[in-house]
Amino acid sequence: TLKMQRLSHIMKLFYSSDFSINSTKFNLSNTSNILRIICGLFLIPEVFGKFNGFMQLNPNIVNFFASVGLSPPEFWVYSAALGELLCGLALVFGICTRYAALGAALILFVAVIALNIVRGYFAWTWSIGGDEYLIFWIICCCIVALNDFKALKK
C-alpha cells in the first residue's frame, strides 16, 4: 500500500544518491550546496592543525586531549582528525551529506565541551577563544543536515 511505501521510504537510511557525485552537487546557484561545501572546507584545516608533519602529532593538541581526560590522548587525536577529514571530504563532495553534517556537528559539540572542561567555564568571548565560533559551525552543519533531510521528502 501507499502508506507502507512511504514508511519504508522514511525508514531507509541510505539511498543510491547518497553515494553519487554529480554536477548538481556543485551547482553554486543552490545556496544549500554553497553552505555544504564551505562547512566541509572549514573542517580540513582542523585536521592539519593536529599534526606537525606527516602523521606526527602536534604535542600541544595531544596535551589538550590529555587535559580533558581522554586516554590515550594520541588515539583520540587520530580519531578526531579522521572524523574531521571524512566528514569534511564527504561534505565537500556531497556524499552522505546528512550523516556527514551531523557527524561534523557532533565533533564540534565535543570540542565545545572539551574547551569548557579545560577552561572551567562557558565563554562567549568573541576575540579570545570563546565557544561562539564552534557553535556557529555546529548550527551551519545542522542546517546542512536539515536541508538534506528535507530534500529526501521531494
Side-chain angles (χ1 to χ4, degrees), residues 32-111:
S32 294
N33 286 344
I34 294 170
L35 183 59
R36 173 184 52 79
I37 292 167
I38 289 171
C39 285
L41 291 174
F42 155 76
L43 288 169
I44 303 304
E46 298 296 321
V47 175
F48 293 116
K50 291 179 176 47
F51 299 94
N52 281 339
F54 181 73
M55 299 302 288
Q56 187 175 24
L57 292 176
N58 181 334
N60 295 331
I61 302 298
V62 173
N63 290 336
F64 173 79
F65 275 62
S67 69
V68 173
L70 297 171
S71 182
E74 296 83 3
F75 169 79
W76 292 106
V77 174
Y78 281 121
S79 297
L82 181 63
E84 290 165 346
L85 180 65
L86 293 177
C87 289
L89 291 175
L91 286 168
V92 168
F93 292 108
I95 300 169
C96 297
T97 299
R98 59 195 170 279
Y99 300 115
L102 290 174
L106 179 63
I107 290 167
L108 294 165
F109 181 73
V110 170

Side-chain angles (χ1 to χ4, degrees), residues 3-45:
K3 190 173 187 173
M4 288 298 285
Q5 287 175 338
R6 284 185 181 159
L7 183 60
S8 69
H9 180 73
I10 291 169
M11 294 181 67
K12 190 171 179 185
L13 294 175
F14 294 101
Y15 298 87
S16 60
S17 61
D18 287 336
F19 300 96
S20 67
I21 299 173
N22 56 52
S23 61
T24 60
K25 293 182 179 182
F26 299 96
N27 177 0
L28 298 183
S29 65
N30 180 340
T31 56
S32 294
N33 286 344
I34 294 170
L35 183 59
R36 173 184 52 79
I37 292 167
I38 289 171
C39 285
L41 291 174
F42 155 76
L43 288 169
I44 303 304

